[in-house]
Amino acid sequence: MIIDSHLHLPVDYPDFPSKGAALKAELRCNDVDMGIVIADSELESGIGSVRDCTEIFCGSSMIKVIAGISPFISFDEQLGLCRELLRNNEIVGLKLYTGHESFYCTDDILNPVYDLAAEFDVPVLFHTGWDNSRYSAPDNMKELAVLRPQNRFVYCHCFYPDLEQCFKTLGSCANIWFDTSSVADDRKLLPKIKKSLEAAIAAMPHKFIFGSDFGSCSQKEHLNFAASLELSSEHRQLFMCDNALSVYNITT
């Protein structure tokens, strides 16, 4: 079984039903069994708000949804909506777009998000790396992990392109997992990233979750990169499927 745990709706379609159909078609084309779609924190977005995404994939066994949420956009209203969706088992996590938006992962304004996630036992995801990487830099994330041991955190993109710093700083944090979406985005960097990722998965096999960032990146290229990694069959099973089921509390 293959789970792509980091997907977005593709933007080049006229409406949300056609975007949802295109995403499912991509999964089928690439023999991916299940996907996790991450909604935007914007209320009107080409990749869909959480309300848009949950309406498209309501009742789907193939697609699960993570809510994007921002402390700057109708925060109380969105917290209330996320509470309702969590109560109804319509979302499996919450995502904060640190770096895309100007707040640090340690900002006190985010405590209601962390409290809500802990209450419903779902993870909080973070955008990391790329530009504006200071907002969820590994040192800040480690501070948060220590302050909030009751939470589970998913560190998307592994602080790309500096995976070594990510794993060195955060590898000892028991409540942080690593989502490898986007790491195959630049072919010139692949040899270095492959080496770092293979070593880290061998050392922490229960900490890694496969994702592609489809909608922004190629799912096929990320699957090919994952297949190129030199992993034991047990570690590959954890990476491509079992860790995601565990982190997101998904039953099949």
Side-chain angles (χ1 to χ4, degrees), residues 3-9 23 26-27 32 34-39 47 62-64 97 179 181 211-216 219:
I3 299 174
D4 187 334
S5 64
H6 194 123
L7 302 163
H8 299 286
L9 288 175
L23 184 141
E26 184 73 12
L27 267 62
V32 175
M34 182 183 293
I36 300 175
V37 171
I38 303 176
I47 65 170
M62 185 181 192
I63 304 292
K64 306 301 179 182
Y97 285 87
D179 157 348
S181 57
S212 70
D213 209 5
F214 172 75
S216 298
Q219 183 179 71

Side-chain angles (χ1 to χ4, degrees), residues 11 15 46 52 71-72 79-80 100 111 117 132-135 141 143 161 180 189 201 205 218 237 250:
V11 297
D15 53 47
D52 296 324
F72 305 140
L79 283 168
H100 285 317
N111 284 339
N132 299 322
S133 61
R134 63 190 181 278
Y135 292 105
M141 195 68 217
E143 179 183 349
T180 63
L189 298 178
I201 292 176
S218 165
Q237 174 75 14
I250 297 171

Side-chain angles (χ1 to χ4, degrees), residues 198 200-206 208 230-243:
E198 286 173 343
I201 292 176
M204 303 176 284
H206 291 86
F208 286 86
E230 296 182 17
L231 307 175
S232 70
S233 58
E234 178 185 358
H235 290 176
R236 187 174 300 280
Q237 174 75 14
L238 289 167
F239 176 47
M240 300 302 295
C241 174
D242 290 354
N243 289 342

Side-chain angles (χ1 to χ4, degrees), residues 9-24 45-47:
L9 288 175
V11 297
D12 296 330
Y13 293 85
D15 53 47
F16 286 118
S18 61
K19 293 176 191 216
L23 184 141
K24 287 183 176 180
S45 167
I47 65 170

Side-chain angles (χ1 to χ4, degrees), residues 109-206:
I109 195 173
L110 301 175
N111 284 339
V113 176
Y114 303 145
D115 290 343
L116 183 63
E119 179 183 348
F120 284 90
D121 191 28
V122 297
V124 179
L125 292 75
F126 298 88
H127 173 82
T128 78
W130 304 88
D131 298 328
N132 299 322
S133 61
R134 63 190 181 278
Y135 292 105
S136 54
D139 286 342
N140 291 330
M141 195 68 217
K142 186 170 186 176
E143 179 183 349
L144 177 65
V146 172
L147 288 171
R148 303 283 313 198
Q150 68 272 43
N151 282 105
R152 297 198 309 282
F153 300 118
V154 176
Y155 204 64
C156 302
H157 319 308
C158 304
F159 202 57
Y160 180 88
D162 197 351
L163 276 68
E164 299 238 354
Q165 182 185 351
C166 165
F167 303 145
K168 180 179 179 181
T169 304
L170 299 176
S172 63
C173 297
N175 54 342
I176 294 179
W177 283 257
F178 304 105
D179 157 348
T180 63
S181 57
S182 299
V183 302
D185 194 53
D186 187 339
R187 292 186 180 183
K188 296 189 298 293
L189 298 178
L190 286 186
K192 180 180 179 181
I193 286 175
K194 182 176 185 289
K195 182 178 179 181
S196 296
L197 198 53
E198 286 173 343
I201 292 176
M204 303 176 284
H206 291 86

Side-chain angles (χ1 to χ4, degrees), residues 18-65:
S18 61
K19 293 176 191 216
L23 184 141
K24 287 183 176 180
E26 184 73 12
L27 267 62
R28 293 189 184 101
C29 178
N30 291 321
D31 295 320
V32 175
D33 301 280
M34 182 183 293
I36 300 175
V37 171
I38 303 176
D40 206 339
S41 59
E42 298 278 351
L43 302 186
E44 294 187 11
S45 167
I47 65 170
S49 68
V50 64
R51 194 179 292 278
D52 296 324
C53 291
T54 51
E55 286 178 357
I56 296 168
F57 300 115
C58 180
S60 174
S61 60
M62 185 181 192
I63 304 292
K64 306 301 179 182
V65 176

Side-chain angles (χ1 to χ4, degrees), residues 57-123:
F57 300 115
C58 180
S60 174
S61 60
M62 185 181 192
I63 304 292
K64 306 301 179 182
V65 176
I66 288 170
I69 189 167
S70 168
F72 305 140
I73 304 171
S74 303
F75 192 36
D76 290 341
E77 177 184 340
Q78 292 303 300
L79 283 168
L81 174 59
C82 288
R83 174 176 289 278
E84 177 186 345
L85 295 170
L86 285 165
R87 188 181 296 120
N88 294 331
N89 296 313
E90 294 183 67
I91 56 175
V92 296
L94 306 172
K95 168 80 178 283
L96 292 164
Y97 285 87
T98 38
H100 285 317
E101 297 181 79
S102 299
F103 55 83
Y104 287 87
C105 63
T106 51
D107 284 351
D108 287 343
I109 195 173
L110 301 175
N111 284 339
V113 176
Y114 303 145
D115 290 343
L116 183 63
E119 179 183 348
F120 284 90
D121 191 28
V122 297

